[in-house]
Amino acid sequence: MGCSMSFISSPETDPASESSAGPAPRHRTVGVRVGSVMVGGGAPIVVQSMTNTDTADVDATVAQVAALAQAGSEIVRITVDRDEAAAAVPRIRERLDRLGVDVPLVGDFHYIGHQLLADHPACAEALAKYRINPGNVGFKEKKDRQFGAIVEQAIRHDKAVRIGANWGSLDQELLTHLMNQNAASARPRDMRWVTREAMIQSALLSAARAEEIGLARDRIILSAKVSAVQDLIAVYQDLARRSDYAIHLGLTEAGMGSKGIVASSAAIGILLQQGIGDTIRFSLTPEPGGDRTVEVKTAQELLQTMGFRTFVPLVAACPGCGRTTSSVFQELARDIQTWISTSMPEWRRTHPGVENLNVAVMGCIVNGPGESKHANIGISLPGTGEQPAAPVFIDGKKAMTLRGPTLAQDFQKIVIDYIDRNYGQPGRDAAE
């Protein structure tokens, strides 16, 4: 993990020049199995998240992991920062297994990971993957030794490793080395480019070192996280060009609320469109006491709206305008969306394929009938001054017209009947 890699002067990345109706072909990477989940190697893009509980608090951590998994997180990372946390990991795993929550757990290690894994073999075994930050795995003469110790534990327990370089904790020795090379160059680059290069080299040098120690290539995932959108795009484009390791995408310290969602969606969405990325995380700052599962749902929404995966039925609804002064369509769209969200945990078990359903709730005659015809089930509600009637379209054909004060309830029943008829409930007919 020294500074043997030379300073590479690669051209600035150009965005994909070809225009197409879909994303670029997926960047080919080596598949890595993390517990029961495959990352890379052409597998579907994986959604993951991280707890913000004290891992030593077993009850709180089990509850949050279970909530994240139920929301759709396919891998969950937990902090392992001290002996009490490491000792709690096998108990957390056991409790989750008893609850039927088989989501793989990733241990997030900084500074003393080598020591914790050695002192707590049950923790090392209970985790499905170890996350190592090469910028703080150790310093000076201890760096290689401590990094090697973690890798050896991964080999011993047959675990995957994510080598995650981070903008905020770069390997300072490597960064200084590259800055000196850059200063001596006939055509020096700006500091941001040098820092991005240090990120990439930190990840690649560490991966090469892990392979030298004996960790198989199909046990290594790389990430190189920054907090600025354009830098993140540039770093991952270059990383993908220079390796075939599986890649984890995430904008670090994305922020709170719409800022974090927009920034993460912009950066990750562009990279996914270019075929880069095997697993993603939205690193959103929750409101105090807020819902941690929001980061899972937004990651799923990005993948689904871009057409990479389907997780829940889509509800299309118009934004409203002067033609839709009534709040009926807004209330109906909200109620249908809420009902679908709360029903999905059960539907995943009883109605396989229901996540492909498209529902349209439109507010007036301008686009209402057309959008409704494109959905599996659509309703075009009357706008201001229109006749108080709402045509319902099923699979592109007008099926009926709803009227009266129970219109919303009637439409929801139509959706329920459609779901039961088209996605079924295994065993229901036999029971009846």
Side-chain angles (χ1 to χ4, degrees), residues 122-172:
C123 168
E125 183 56 39
L127 295 168
K129 183 174 73 173
Y130 309 154
R131 191 268 187 171
I132 312 172
N133 182 339
N136 60 30
V137 71
F139 304 101
K140 298 187 181 296
E141 72 281 354
K142 295 180 180 179
K143 181 172 60 176
D144 285 354
R145 185 172 70 251
Q146 294 178 179
F147 177 85
I150 298 177
V151 171
E152 286 167 0
Q153 288 287 343
I155 295 168
R156 182 175 300 116
H157 294 279
D158 191 24
K159 305 298 180 180
V161 169
R162 172 158 72 92
I163 297 171
N166 193 292
W167 190 266
S169 51
L170 262 174
D171 182 333
Q172 292 303 302

Side-chain angles (χ1 to χ4, degrees), residues 74-398:
E74 293 156 304
I75 297 173
V76 177
R77 182 158 51 114
I78 60 177
T79 298
V80 187
D81 58 344
R82 63 194 196 280
D83 286 307
E84 292 82 359
V89 170
R91 293 158 55 204
I92 292 167
R93 179 72 273 165
E94 182 182 350
R95 288 267 298 276
L96 290 168
D97 289 342
R98 287 207 305 266
L99 292 170
V101 179
D102 63 353
V103 64
L105 297 178
V106 179
D108 193 45
F109 293 102
H110 297 276
Y111 307 111
I112 59 170
H114 62 291
Q115 182 179 328
L116 293 173
L117 287 168
D119 292 346
H120 299 274
C123 168
E125 183 56 39
L127 295 168
K129 183 174 73 173
Y130 309 154
R131 191 268 187 171
I132 312 172
N133 182 339
N136 60 30
V137 71
F139 304 101
K140 298 187 181 296
E141 72 281 354
K142 295 180 180 179
K143 181 172 60 176
D144 285 354
R145 185 172 70 251
Q146 294 178 179
F147 177 85
I150 298 177
V151 171
E152 286 167 0
Q153 288 287 343
I155 295 168
R156 182 175 300 116
H157 294 279
D158 191 24
K159 305 298 180 180
V161 169
R162 172 158 72 92
I163 297 171
N166 193 292
W167 190 266
S169 51
L170 262 174
D171 182 333
Q172 292 303 302
E173 185 181 357
L174 175 61
L175 179 60
T176 300
H177 173 73
L178 293 181
M179 288 172 61
N180 291 337
Q181 279 196 341
N182 184 56
S185 171
R187 296 170 58 189
R189 300 287 192 124
D190 63 56
M191 184 58 191
R192 295 186 78 83
W193 191 94
V194 176
T195 306
R196 293 199 301 263
E197 179 65 18
M199 290 271 294
I200 295 164
Q201 289 203 24
S202 179
L204 293 178
L205 284 165
S206 298
R209 175 60 181 146
E211 287 197 69
E212 288 174 6
I213 295 169
L215 189 64
R217 200 173 188 82
D218 65 0
R219 307 304 278 154
I220 299 173
I221 298 172
L222 298 187
S223 67
K225 292 188 175 183
V226 303
S227 57
V229 169
Q230 295 296 343
D231 286 313
L232 189 86
I233 294 167
V235 164
Y236 275 104
Q237 286 173 331
D238 215 358
L239 184 63
R241 276 202 303 268
R242 290 156 65 173
S243 81
D244 64 353
Y245 293 108
I247 290 178
H248 168 81
L249 295 183
L251 188 76
T252 190
E253 289 92 37
M256 183 179 286
S258 60
K259 183 268 179 188
I261 293 171
V262 170
S264 292
S265 298
I268 295 173
I270 288 171
L271 290 165
L272 292 176
Q273 187 71 10
Q274 295 176 0
I276 299 168
D278 300 301
T279 176
I280 67 172
R281 183 198 169 199
F282 274 45
S283 299
L284 303 179
T285 304
E287 297 284 346
D291 184 359
R292 190 68 168 180
T293 64
V294 169
E295 68 175 46
V296 178
K297 296 168 186 173
T298 51
Q300 288 180 328
E301 287 170 5
L302 176 68
L303 292 176
Q304 183 152 342
T305 55
M306 292 187 71
F308 290 105
R309 293 184 64 182
T310 54
F311 297 97
V312 296
L314 283 178
V315 179
C318 65
C321 67
R323 300 178 66 95
T324 58
T325 54
S326 167
S327 63
V328 173
F329 89 93
Q330 297 166 319
E331 293 165 358
L332 181 56
R334 178 200 60 201
D335 292 346
I336 291 290
Q337 185 76 63
T338 302
W339 169 63
I340 285 174
S341 296
T342 56
S343 301
M344 272 309 295
E346 176 68 12
W347 284 352
R348 286 190 186 99
R349 185 178 64 84
T350 61
H351 294 73
V354 71
E355 65 273 8
N356 296 302
L357 176 71
N358 288 324
V359 180
V361 180
M362 306 303 293
C364 77
I365 201 170
V366 174
N367 293 319
E371 286 286 351
S372 297
K373 288 177 184 177
H374 288 300
N376 298 112
I377 310 173
I379 186 169
S380 178
L381 294 161
T384 305
E386 295 176 11
Q387 290 295 319
V392 174
F393 297 82
I394 297 178
D395 292 329
K397 297 179 180 178
K398 183 178 176 181

